[in-house]
Amino acid sequence: MIIKFLLPAIISSAFAIPLSSQTDMEYNLARFKGNKIVLLGEWKTDDINLWNQIINADGIYGHGFLLLDRTKLTRGNVTGFDARHIATFERWFSQRYDLIGSTRWAALDINNKIIVYGIQPPTAKEFDQMLDRMGIRSPSRKLRDFLREYPDHLDAKADLLNEVRRRALHVMPTNTVEDLDDETDLRTWAVMAAETDKVFSSSWEGIDLEFFKPTQELPERYSKLMRNSFIKHIPKIESALRRDPANPTLWNIWAWMARSLTDYKWNIFTDSIDLFALRGNNGAFYCPSPEVCAWLIYDAKSREDWATVIKFADIAKWHVDGGIKTKMEWIPGNMSARAAFFNAGTFVTTSVYISQLEALLRIGDIDGANNVYDQMIRFDQKSDRASLAGDVASAVGMEELSELWKKGQVINDVPHRGYRIGTPGFYVFTEPESDYRKNFNEVADKLTPKMSAVVGYPFRDHETLGWKKNDGYRWGLFDEDGVLLAHDSAIPDVDILQSLLNRYGIVGNTELMRRHLANHGGQSGMELAFAYHLMRQNSSNPQSSGQPDDRMEENLWGEAYRYFRKVMNEYPEAFISAVSDEAYRFSGMAFLQKVSINSPSMKSLSRQVLALIEMLLEKKPSSGQLWIQWFNWRDIEGEERPIQSLLYRLIYSPLSGIDAGMPSFALERYYSECKSSGNWQMLVELLKAVWDREIPRIVDEKNEQNRREFSRLQGIGDSVGIPLIEAYLNESRYLDANEVFATWQDCGGKFTDISIIVQLAKAKGYEWLAREWEEKLIK
């Protein structure tokens, strides 16, 4: 067996392939992320199976090698990799890495630098030794080395647990239904159990672990080693939840442990805390989280504990809204370039609504069951929900009710918006820009709480309300399920609208949260959320921009100031999570919105809060909640505090860089500040990461005929390509600038306006390059 080792630095060779083809080859190879093994030529099935055994072997699996044979390389009909071009690609690949003619495989690292190559497959032991001699460390080893230097780094701890759990699940025996024997348990879960114990025996609050999914089983339940670790540490998770009861991340960790402990009496804990679902006019808090409630219902149903099913059902239903997961990827001016959507609707129907129906029928509450049935089918009459409900009624011996439900018609038909709106609110039946809507909002703005009205678009007959366009304008007040509470055509005065809110118990977030905190002491997480809510509310008060006096200062900022100080002293970790994404809404400080507060007390607090947040960011630089708070407390401080000085202090997990470890909106703010200060070197780093990520996608989308997606991605030529060229020119890297221009044209992209880079090229003395770009654009 011939094997050749190469250093990571590769000496470039002259290519016999045209430049455009080289670019295609380079970017298409880059679309395969992580470590990879490229097989050249035809390989027999047995040999490919042997390679799969090698990369899945102990010691090698952790490296995450992707095996790329001709089948995988040509899948998707991508330019340069389809059946017609695979030979061209292999010639390019051999030239690119200076391989000898008989080479049949090559291993590349995460940066596509060559590690080793050869003719015949090595044994797993030989390949492991090769990697070790080349100094190639597995992700778990990188993380352990990193954590020895930075033991409190929460992102790295989460990455390590994810990595070792991935390995445990890989070797977990399939179809396991009982405890593993001691030997298998050690081989499978010993590392994960040890790392879990290490994490939760040190600084852990604020760590994000998404191991619990209500729709999936947890293999940890069959490991005595994991259960022993959970028994040891679940009390501290419960203590944290008492301080921060609406924190979904904490609930996720608790459920991961509690669900794996098959004999765990979780109801002892849930009975010891007050459950709540606070839904005001612009946000919500849940205890437990809807996802965890869905599992608790499932478990209670298995024990025929119908009272518990009913208790958690109303919270669990909101898993429908909470089931959308987005992956934020930064592009300048477009912070949510990609999103992965998961809708839990079907799961909620079967596991929550149907379970609640059965529970109500079992205890004989027919009216309650009919109400839940109406809620379930009101907004989705085309699904099989009615049939599922009918089956439940039949199973409990109520055949007449079963036949009625299977008809799919609501029992108590009431006017409704056509969808569940989440919080009570007004709806105006009119054109969006009408004086009617404007006049109504002027009245609603004087209510307590202030409430504006949404408007449907386009203005047309509303079927579920029975309102006709030709009958004129109307307004309506709706509950959180979208059911009409009151309506009229004439716009009433403030007193009439206020009496409606009072009659239906509709209060604002301030009152909801103040009532809650009055009844529940020691909930630092909720206290912090309330402090941010007060900050948002008072910053919009016209008095907040005037010259403050002592009385106004106390009225506007005294309560918030005291809560901030209390949380800082008693539970500073609450700032890491800030009640998850709900803090964005309640603080009113999301993304790029700047905060201006003319308050001596808040300004005096800003330096202490910023110091705390910066300390916490060193532990968790990926935290969107911390970054939002940092930007806005910096605005409150009102001093020049450059983000660059903070970034110098932050160290990112070995499995992420600044583009992955820093949230999108923070990158956008940083990008804007780099542009303002002319920090071209950092602009190159930021933009090049996006460029290298998006170009392979564009090549994929273009050649897979997904024209809609390709059209959307075309915008990166203007939003990323032009600024990157500009940054390169300012760094006197004209060859790199020209490569970006050529790459964009090679993959079919078009620039809207190149005048900025043309003028800059001329100013930098590259007139020939400016002429070349203009000529290419004309062609």
Side-chain angles (χ1 to χ4, degrees):
M1 178 172 58
I2 299 176
I3 297 172
K4 184 174 180 181
F5 299 91
L6 293 181
L7 296 174
I10 306 299
I11 300 175
S12 300
S13 60
F15 298 117
I17 304 172
L19 178 61
S20 62
S21 296
Q22 292 178 29
T23 303
D24 279 342
M25 300 296 178
E26 195 77 52
Y27 278 115
N28 275 290
L29 183 62
R31 71 193 177 100
F32 298 103
K33 304 300 182 183
N35 298 322
K36 57 192 71 68
I37 296 171
V38 179
L39 303 184
L40 304 174
E42 294 290 346
W43 285 74
K44 295 180 180 179
T45 302
D46 289 344
D47 289 331
I48 292 176
N49 290 338
L50 177 60
W51 270 112
N52 282 317
Q53 293 174 18
I54 293 170
I55 64 179
N56 286 320
D58 285 345
I60 299 175
Y61 177 77
H63 291 278
F65 276 99
L66 178 65
L67 187 64
L68 300 176
D69 60 2
R70 282 186 165 184
T71 299
K72 290 183 179 177
L73 287 168
T74 58
R75 186 172 297 156
N77 193 31
V78 180
T79 297
F81 281 73
D82 65 16
R84 296 170 299 166
H85 298 127
I86 189 64
T88 303
F89 164 72
E90 290 178 348
R91 287 198 303 273
W92 169 84
F93 188 87
S94 296
Q95 292 174 344
R96 168 72 174 81
Y97 293 108
D98 195 23
L99 306 179
I100 61 176
S102 57
T103 298
R104 299 190 66 224
W105 63 269
L108 307 181
D109 68 11
I110 195 171
N111 297 313
N112 283 335
K113 303 296 185 182
I114 200 161
I115 304 170
V116 61
Y117 63 81
I119 298 174
Q120 298 299 325
T123 65
K125 182 177 180 181
E126 289 171 338
F127 192 57
D128 193 21
Q129 291 172 344
M130 295 174 199
L131 299 175
D132 187 61
R133 285 197 293 270
M134 292 302 295
I136 305 298
R137 296 179 300 163
S138 67
S140 57
R141 183 174 173 183
K142 290 179 183 177
L143 289 162
R144 288 191 182 95
D145 291 346
F146 178 88
L147 285 168
R148 276 193 285 272
E149 188 172 358
Y150 306 101
D152 292 332
H153 202 286
L154 294 173
D155 287 338
K157 288 181 179 182
D159 286 342
L160 180 57
L161 287 183
N162 275 290
E163 192 62 30
V164 296
R165 186 174 187 264
R166 184 175 71 90
R167 182 261 176 198
L169 295 178
H170 176 68
V171 300
M172 179 75 179
T174 58
N175 302 320
T176 301
V177 294
E178 57 185 19
D179 279 359
L180 301 173
D181 61 75
D182 291 345
E183 182 180 347
T184 304
D185 196 8
L186 280 168
R187 186 171 60 249
T188 306
W189 291 102
V191 176
M192 179 64 181
E195 296 295 351
T196 300
D197 182 67
K198 189 181 298 183
V199 165
F200 288 98
S201 295
S202 60
S203 173
W204 65 271
E205 291 192 58
I207 193 172
D208 286 333
L209 300 176
E210 297 187 357
F211 300 149
F212 166 78
K213 299 287 189 302
T215 57
Q216 300 173 8
E217 290 292 333
L218 287 168
E220 286 90 329
R221 65 184 302 185
Y222 301 114
S223 165
K224 293 186 286 292
L225 293 171
M226 290 300 297
R227 295 202 302 268
N228 288 338
S229 180
F230 292 159
I231 290 171
K232 177 180 177 180
H233 295 293
I234 198 170
K236 63 185 66 172
I237 312 300
E238 294 177 346
S239 294
L241 277 169
R242 296 184 194 281
R243 296 189 294 267
D244 202 356
N247 187 327
T249 300
L250 284 174
W251 279 111
N252 190 297
I253 296 172
W254 178 83
W256 173 49
M257 295 183 176
R259 191 176 189 182
S260 300
L261 298 172
T262 51
D263 296 328
Y264 189 68
K265 302 295 191 295
W266 54 259
N267 60 296
I268 294 177
F269 171 63
T270 58
D271 288 347
S272 71
I273 60 175
D274 289 333
L275 312 183
F276 58 84
L278 300 182
R279 298 194 62 84
N281 60 307
N282 66 345
F285 294 98
Y286 300 107
C287 171
S289 67
E291 292 78 9
V292 170
C293 284
W295 161 60
L296 298 180
I297 286 172
Y298 172 83
D299 191 68
K301 180 181 176 182
S302 69
R303 295 181 281 102
E304 298 187 356
D305 182 355
W306 307 119
T308 299
V309 169
I310 294 169
K311 180 171 70 173
F312 289 110
D314 284 335
I315 297 177
K317 290 173 186 176
W318 293 104
H319 186 33
V320 176
D321 298 330
I324 298 177
K325 308 296 182 183
T326 58
K327 180 183 179 182
M328 304 290 284
E329 291 184 340
W330 175 69
I331 289 179
N334 179 0
M335 294 176 295
S336 55
R338 292 260 164 165
F341 294 100
F342 166 71
N343 193 305
T346 301
F347 169 78
V348 172
T349 296
T350 56
S351 299
V352 181
Y353 276 112
I354 297 301
S355 296
Q356 187 181 19
L357 282 178
E358 181 176 2
L360 290 167
L361 292 180
R362 295 286 185 186
I363 67 172
D365 187 356
I366 307 302
D367 289 339
N370 280 332
N371 288 334
V372 171
Y373 171 83
D374 285 350
Q375 292 175 16
M376 186 178 71
I377 70 165
R378 182 179 290 133
F379 312 126
D380 193 10
Q381 297 182 7
K382 295 180 181 179
S383 73
D384 61 351
R385 292 183 174 187
S387 177
L388 292 171
D391 291 342
V392 168
S394 180
V396 298
M398 299 183 181
E399 295 298 339
E400 291 184 5
L401 185 61
S402 173
E403 292 300 319
L404 178 63
W405 280 358
K406 285 185 176 182
K407 293 178 180 178
Q409 299 175 355
V410 293
I411 306 301
N412 301 301
D413 197 8
V414 294
H416 59 88
R417 284 283 303 278
Y419 57 90
R420 197 176 190 193
I421 62 176
T423 56
F426 289 106
Y427 168 69
V428 175
F429 186 61
T430 178
E431 288 97 347
E433 304 301 327
S434 69
D435 288 339
Y436 185 92
R437 183 193 186 192
K438 178 182 177 182
N439 294 336
F440 185 90
N441 279 337
E442 287 178 353
V443 176
D445 191 56
K446 300 174 183 177
L447 298 172
T448 303
K450 293 182 178 180
M451 299 180 71
S452 59
V454 298
V455 60
Y457 183 80
F459 180 43
R460 60 189 176 192
D461 292 351
H462 201 299
E463 181 180 350
T464 58
L465 288 173
W467 293 353
K468 303 297 182 182
K469 177 180 177 180
N470 291 336
D471 292 340
Y473 299 158
R474 301 192 70 79
W475 62 269
L477 176 64
F478 296 82
D479 67 11
E480 65 179 25
D481 287 315
V483 175
L484 183 65
L485 300 175
H487 67 103
D488 203 345
S489 57
I491 299 177
D493 60 28
V494 174
D495 291 339
I496 293 176
L497 283 185
Q498 187 67 59
S499 67
L500 280 175
L501 298 186
N502 296 341
R503 181 190 309 168
Y504 292 107
I506 299 173
V507 299
N509 297 101
T510 304
E511 182 61 22
L512 272 177
M513 298 180 75
R514 188 172 280 131
R515 290 177 187 176
H516 178 85
L517 292 176
N519 296 322
H520 301 84
Q523 294 188 352
S524 299
M526 294 297 292
E527 291 170 345
L528 179 61
F530 185 47
Y532 275 124
H533 166 72
L534 291 172
M535 181 185 287
R536 178 200 61 80
Q537 173 181 273
N538 295 333
S539 64
S540 63
N541 189 317
Q543 291 182 321
S544 65
S545 59
Q547 187 63 33
D549 56 44
D550 292 343
R551 181 179 178 183
M552 185 182 71
E553 180 73 8
E554 172 60 27
N555 289 339
L556 284 178
W557 306 111
E559 189 175 18
Y561 175 85
R562 286 186 288 275
Y563 272 123
F564 278 123
R565 288 199 62 86
K566 183 174 185 289
V567 177
M568 287 176 63
N569 292 330
E570 296 179 0
Y571 190 48
E573 291 83 1
F575 282 82
I576 301 180
S577 300
V579 195
S580 192
D581 294 342
E582 295 301 334
Y584 295 4
R585 302 187 184 100
F586 273 78
S587 70
M589 299 179 177
F591 305 118
L592 303 181
Q593 177 182 342
K594 290 192 175 183
V595 175
S596 178
I597 293 177
N598 188 22
S599 163
S601 60
M602 299 305 283
K603 286 183 181 294
S604 69
L605 194 61
S606 62
R607 186 175 297 274
Q608 301 170 57
V609 178
L610 282 167
L612 170 62
I613 292 172
E614 289 175 359
M615 181 190 71
L616 295 174
L617 275 170
E618 291 184 40
K619 299 172 63 174
K620 190 176 180 181
S622 69
S623 172
Q625 292 87 344
L626 286 175
W627 277 108
I628 282 179
Q629 294 171 88
W630 185 85
F631 279 117
N632 288 283
W633 280 103
R634 184 183 68 166
D635 292 341
I636 294 169
E637 183 183 42
E639 299 178 6
E640 293 296 327
R641 185 184 286 255
I643 187 175
Q644 190 73 51
S645 60
L646 172 59
L647 291 178
Y648 284 143
R649 295 165 50 188
L650 302 185
I651 306 296
Y652 298 93
S653 168
L655 300 194
S656 66
I658 186 172
D659 58 322
M662 193 172 173
S664 297
F665 68 86
L667 281 169
E668 182 75 4
R669 286 284 291 262
Y670 183 36
Y671 173 71
S672 298
E673 292 182 20
C674 287
K675 286 184 69 176
S676 298
S677 63
N679 188 345
W680 302 112
Q681 182 178 356
M682 184 52 66
L683 284 170
V684 166
E685 183 177 334
L686 291 172
L687 292 167
K688 187 64 165 58
V690 178
W691 186 254
D692 289 344
R693 183 190 72 210
E694 294 298 325
I695 286 294
R697 290 174 174 172
I698 288 178
V699 175
D700 279 355
E701 302 294 353
K702 172 187 172 186
N703 291 282
E704 291 175 2
Q705 305 301 312
N706 189 341
R707 295 301 178 184
R708 178 180 299 179
E709 184 71 0
F710 179 56
S711 175
R712 183 187 67 80
L713 292 172
Q714 282 275 292
I716 76 159
D718 294 328
S719 63
V720 182
I722 293 293
L724 180 55
I725 292 171
E726 182 184 8
Y728 274 140
L729 290 174
N730 278 289
E731 286 282 288
S732 300
R733 296 170 61 177
Y734 68 91
L735 291 178
D736 291 322
N738 192 38
E739 182 183 351
V740 172
F741 192 100
T743 297
W744 187 237
Q745 285 207 318
D746 289 343
C747 68
K750 295 180 180 180
F751 295 111
T752 301
D753 182 5
I754 65 169
S755 60
I756 293 177
I757 58 173
V758 166
Q759 293 171 12
L760 183 58
K762 291 177 180 178
K764 293 289 184 179
Y766 307 125
E767 290 88 352
W768 60 272
L769 186 58
R771 288 195 301 271
E772 184 178 310
W773 287 345
E774 289 177 315
E775 290 171 0
K776 286 182 178 180
L777 202 62
I778 293 173
K779 293 178 181 180

